């Protein structure tokens, strides 16, 4: 297994270019199963998760080839049965269920199960499929979904924590080939859902309202091949902005969508970070002094849960008390005890982490537990004096394209080494 060795305390300086969004790419890759014609997706980031999704598509019978920054997929002849072992390894793979159900009228896919950040049920995905007329059976760890025909209907897909991103994506994809009109109320408004809707419309679907809580999908008889460019990754953007602020650096972030990141940029401003937008660039510079702020994660356009861990690392450096409340995934505080190894003063109180910020951080060996917690530990290590070893960075490689290379270009002293 690999780790990052970081010699911290070096302010980041220079320019970094943001890659395509992982969480937009995964459902868009799955959507190519809806047609037997070729599709080309540009800007798919090279990550273990996207390569893994390509493997899943191949296991279903599709051809998928990365070439010159594009991914060409053709799902000419496919089967509806996704391999248990493959699906189990990546939760995002659940979004092949909607397209398979739509195209083949049946699918058998393993239940994705929980993960370290929380329970992660799929009841809302299944509720949506049932509302379209599918019969659902849970059998031996698999979900069997089948329908003689799918028929549009009106449904409410809100759950305990609000809307569901992949649930909305899955049901929207299934509804594209249903008879009649589907209305999804309490739909997720995330930019990744909008990107998927744009791709589906380019394939010939008829979807309106994407980006709002009411999605309307008028079913069509068939979809055709299409080309699409993935939106920039808003969470990678947030991560580099936070890293620049945490190291007292000055970084220009290129190829980003500030309009997808208002909640994060607003909080960074409150925390004393200067942000200047010019076109699709963001210039980030730490102000003189960081300030404590309270952060609550919420569905879009609220503060994203996927940037909560990274923000926690920054607030550990801000003098005063910050309260960070996690409203989406109940266990998403695995980074707290590891940041404490670097000297951060943080405690978990129910759904919140209380951060007594402003203590200097010093390097230590730490363990990555999930993707965004890993990013928080890298940020902590970059800001800490001395050497930090972040172990198990395969979590990080799932969602950040060459993060070590990008950080080195900004002057960070970071190396990828084999864990001893
Ligand atoms: N939920 C249910 N029932 C469901 C589905 C979700 O109760 O059927 C609950 C979840 O337990 C959670 C909330 O609804 O409390 C939101 O979960 P959501 O379904 O929106 O999460 P997801 O679609 O499985 C995607 C991203 C996550 C990101 C969340 C929230 C992908 C591949 N994953 O997951 O990304 O945290 O939306 O924005 O798009 C990451 O990139 O690190 C990551 C975990």
């Amino acid at each position: 297994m690999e780790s990052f060795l970081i010699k911290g305390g070096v302010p980041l300086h220079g320019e970094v270019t943001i890659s395509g969004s992982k969480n937009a790419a995964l459902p868009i890759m799955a959507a190519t199963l809806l047609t037997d014609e070729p599709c080309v997706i540009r800007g798919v980031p090279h990550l273990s998760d996207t390569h893994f999704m390509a493997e899943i598509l191949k296991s279903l019978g599709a051809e998928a080839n990365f070439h010159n920054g594009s991914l060409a997929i053709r799902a000419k002849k496919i089967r509806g049965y996704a391999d248990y072992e493959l699906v189990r390894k990546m939760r995002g793979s659940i979004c092949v269920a909607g397209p398979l159900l739509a195209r083949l009228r049946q699918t058998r896919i393993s239940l994705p199960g929980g993960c370290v950040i929380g329970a992660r049920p799929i009841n809302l995905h299944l509720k949506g499929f049932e509302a379209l007329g599918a019969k659902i059976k849970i059998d031996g760890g698999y979900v069997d979904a089948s329908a003689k025909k799918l028929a549009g209907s009106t449904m409410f897909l809100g759950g305990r924590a609000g809307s569901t991103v992949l649930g909305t994506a899955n049901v929207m994809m299934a509804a594209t080939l249903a008879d009649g009109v589907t209305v999804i109320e309490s739909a997720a408004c995330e930019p990744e859902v909008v990107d998927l809707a744009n791709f589906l419309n380019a394939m010939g679907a008829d979807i309106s309202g994407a980006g709002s809580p009411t999605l309307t999908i008028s079913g069509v008889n068939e979809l055709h091949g299409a080309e699409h460019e993935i939106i920039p990754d808003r969470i990678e953007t947030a991560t580099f902005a936070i890293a620049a602020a945490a190291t007292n650096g000055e970084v220009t972030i290129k190829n980003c969508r500030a309009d997808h990141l208002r909640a994060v940029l607003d909080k960074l401003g409150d925390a004393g970070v200067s942000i200047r937008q010019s076109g699709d660039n963001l210039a980030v510079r730490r102000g003189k002094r960081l300030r404590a702020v309270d952060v609550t994660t919420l569905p879009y356009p609220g503060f994203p849960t996927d940037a909560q861990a990274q923000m926690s690392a920054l607030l550990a450096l801000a003098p005063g008390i910050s309260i960070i409340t996690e409203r989406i995934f109940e266990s998403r505080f695995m980074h707290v005890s590891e940041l404490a190894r670097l000297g951060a003063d943080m405690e978990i109180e129910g759904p919140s982490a209380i951060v007594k910020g402003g203590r200097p951080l010093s390097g230590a060996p730490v363990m990555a537990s999930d993707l965004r917690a890993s990013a928080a530990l890298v940020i902590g290590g970059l800001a800490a004096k001395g050497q930090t070893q972040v172990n198990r960075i395969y979590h990080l490689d799932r969602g950040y394209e060459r993060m070590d290379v990008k950080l080195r270009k900004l002057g960070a002293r970071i190396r990828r080494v084999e864990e001893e």
Side-chain angles (χ1 to χ4, degrees), residues 30-47:
T32 62
L33 294 170
L34 286 161
T35 177
D36 60 4
E37 293 186 12
C39 295
V40 175
I41 312 166
R42 290 187 301 275
V44 176
H46 284 284
L47 303 168

Side-chain angles (χ1 to χ4, degrees), residues 28-251:
I28 285 175
M29 288 171 71
T32 62
L33 294 170
L34 286 161
T35 177
D36 60 4
E37 293 186 12
C39 295
V40 175
I41 312 166
R42 290 187 301 275
V44 176
H46 284 284
L47 303 168
S48 48
D49 269 13
T50 50
H51 286 269
F52 197 68
M53 181 56 102
E55 285 313 306
I56 292 174
L57 298 181
K58 285 186 202 166
S59 81
L60 293 168
E63 287 169 25
N65 295 301
F66 283 93
H67 186 63
N68 280 346
S70 290
L71 174 61
I73 304 178
R74 181 161 200 190
K76 198 167 178 193
K77 221 169 153 233
I78 52 167
R79 63 191 185 117
Y81 170 79
D83 182 76
Y84 187 91
E85 282 308 312
L86 280 177
V87 172
R88 206 176 49 92
K89 283 194 195 136
M90 185 178 72
R91 205 197 126 83
S93 54
I94 187 67
C95 59
V96 300
L100 290 175
L101 182 62
R103 176 144 162 218
L104 305 173
R105 299 289 189 255
Q106 60 166 7
T107 176
R108 178 170 166 83
I109 186 164
S110 86
L111 277 164
C115 72
V116 68
I117 64 173
R120 311 196 77 178
I122 58 160
N123 58 311
L124 296 170
H125 302 230
L126 302 184
K127 178 181 174 186
F129 294 156
E130 276 179 323
L132 294 175
K135 295 256 172 306
I136 306 285
K137 211 170 74 191
I138 309 287
D139 166 35
Y142 284 87
V143 179
D144 281 314
S146 59
K148 284 213 175 66
K149 76 181 188 94
L150 294 174
S153 75
T154 295
M155 63 186 83
F156 180 82
L157 284 194
R160 187 181 49 80
S163 52
T164 161
V165 176
L166 289 178
T168 301
N170 235 341
V171 178
M172 175 167 68
M173 290 190 279
T176 55
L177 295 179
D179 292 344
V181 177
T182 298
V183 177
I184 304 178
E185 298 283 8
S186 194
C189 303
E190 270 70 2
E192 294 77 16
V193 173
V194 178
D195 207 29
L196 172 64
N198 288 340
F199 178 59
L200 292 168
N201 282 340
M203 293 174 81
D206 182 354
I207 300 170
S208 58
S212 83
T214 306
L215 267 179
T216 305
I217 304 126
S218 303
V220 295
N221 288 336
E222 58 178 15
L223 296 179
H224 52 74
E227 286 199 24
H228 184 75
E229 169 104 29
I230 299 285
I231 52 170
D233 196 308
R234 64 193 168 103
I235 305 301
E236 190 193 17
T237 309
T239 303
F240 275 98
I242 293 170
T247 59
N248 204 1
E250 193 164 354
V251 171

Side-chain angles (χ1 to χ4, degrees), residues 295-360:
V295 174
T296 300
T297 66
L298 290 168
Y300 190 84
F303 192 96
T305 172
D306 291 345
Q308 179 263 109
Q310 303 88 314
M311 193 69 179
S312 307
L314 178 68
L315 293 176
L317 301 162
I321 294 183
S322 299
I323 300 177
I324 301 166
T325 305
E326 175 55 57
R327 292 268 178 239
I328 310 293
F329 292 115
E330 64 273 21
S331 322
R332 210 167 198 184
F333 280 127
M334 302 295 283
H335 49 284
V336 166
S337 54
E338 295 303 296
L339 285 172
R341 286 181 200 275
L342 301 178
D345 188 347
M346 300 177 140
E347 260 173 58
I348 299 172
E349 281 274 339
S352 301
I354 316 293
V355 185
K356 293 183 192 139
R359 283 173 43 164

